[in-house]
């Protein structure tokens, strides 16, 4: 059994669905039903039979705040400093943190109340050079939530590294 199958089953035991995705994050299965039901052993074993299979966690009770460093270098560090100023830095130490394949970060947490949706929390306007290269882009997201109605790719998928915590705690 691959590490991906073992992880998918461990996460499912906590009531969280995991689906297979391509390297570009597109789902390999019709995934909406897994917002309300969990995949079977057979599905997980088929989906994650290859050791290089990418996994995505269905959001809902599990949520992520996505910090996109490619559009705002140091955004997580600035967020952490602001959290410290407000006496909330201890919370950052309790969250699961992973590095994304584009150099950003996900802070992952369990939400026992009404789950958030997928929301932009912070964005920036394009620079003159970015606007000249791609005039159709109006803004670049720097911080977004990955909540109910979505999913996010997780380590050990290629390019993703778990830096703090683990998916089974």
């Amino acid at each position: 059994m691959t590490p991906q199958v073992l992880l998918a089953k461990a996460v499912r035991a906590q009531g969280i669905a995991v689906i297979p995705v391509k390297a570009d994050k597109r789902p390999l299965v019709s995934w909406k039903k897994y917002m309300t039901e969990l995949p079977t052993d057979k599905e997980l074993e088929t989906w994650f039979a290859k050791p290089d299979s990418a996994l995505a966690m269905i959001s809902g009770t599990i949520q992520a705040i996505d910090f996109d460093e490619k559009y705002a270098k140091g955004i997580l560090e600035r967020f952490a400093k602001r959290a410290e100023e407000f006496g909330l830095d201890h919370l950052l130490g309790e969250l699961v943190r992973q590095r994304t394949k584009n150099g950003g970060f996900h802070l992952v947490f369990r939400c026992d109340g009404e789950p958030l949706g997928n929301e932009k929390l912070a964005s920036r306007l394009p620079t003159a050079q970015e606007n000249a290269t791609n005039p159709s882009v109006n803004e670049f997201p720097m911080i977004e939530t990955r909540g109910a109605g979505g999913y996010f790719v997780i380590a050990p998928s290629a390019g993703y590294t778990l830096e703090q915590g683990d998916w089974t705690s």
Side-chain angles (χ1 to χ4, degrees):
M1 205 175 300
T2 67
Q4 286 84 340
V5 170
L6 295 173
L7 176 59
K9 287 183 177 183
V11 168
R12 184 194 57 199
Q14 297 176 52
I16 303 162
V18 177
I19 60 164
V21 294
K22 295 179 182 182
D24 65 2
K25 304 179 190 176
R26 288 183 296 155
L28 288 166
V29 297
S30 180
W31 65 276
K32 297 274 184 178
K33 76 177 192 174
Y34 301 107
M35 291 171 43
T36 57
E37 63 184 77
L38 297 172
T40 65
D41 277 347
K42 185 175 180 175
E43 287 172 317
L44 295 176
E45 290 165 5
T46 301
W47 295 344
F48 302 112
K50 295 180 183 177
D52 61 345
S53 299
L55 300 98
M57 193 172 280
I58 302 291
S59 303
T61 58
I62 294 296
Q63 309 230 324
I65 302 174
D66 183 4
F67 293 83
D68 203 335
E69 296 273 332
K70 72 181 173 202
Y71 298 130
K73 294 284 185 221
I75 190 73
L76 178 61
E77 184 179 324
R78 292 193 303 274
F79 179 85
K81 285 181 182 176
R82 292 294 290 169
E84 183 177 4
E85 290 172 12
F86 286 98
L88 300 172
D89 50 314
H90 65 284
L91 292 175
L92 296 179
E94 296 176 18
L95 301 175
V96 172
R97 183 182 66 232
Q98 78 171 354
R99 171 85 71 172
T100 68
K101 71 179 183 176
N102 290 320
F105 296 92
H106 290 155
L107 296 180
V108 183
F109 57 96
R110 185 178 292 273
C111 179
D112 292 328
E114 185 67 28
L116 303 169
N118 294 315
E119 302 287 336
K120 286 183 190 173
L121 301 180
S123 59
R124 69 167 177 79
L125 297 173
T127 64
Q129 182 180 1
E130 290 167 335
N131 202 20
T133 304
N134 193 349
S136 64
V137 175
N138 297 324
E139 66 181 350
F140 290 103
M142 299 183 305
I143 306 173
E144 299 176 283
T145 60
R146 295 286 173 245
Y151 60 85
F152 56 96
V153 180
I154 64 169
S157 300
Y160 291 78
T161 307
L162 199 56
E163 292 189 342
Q164 177 175 289
D166 66 75
W167 300 121
T168 59
S169 62

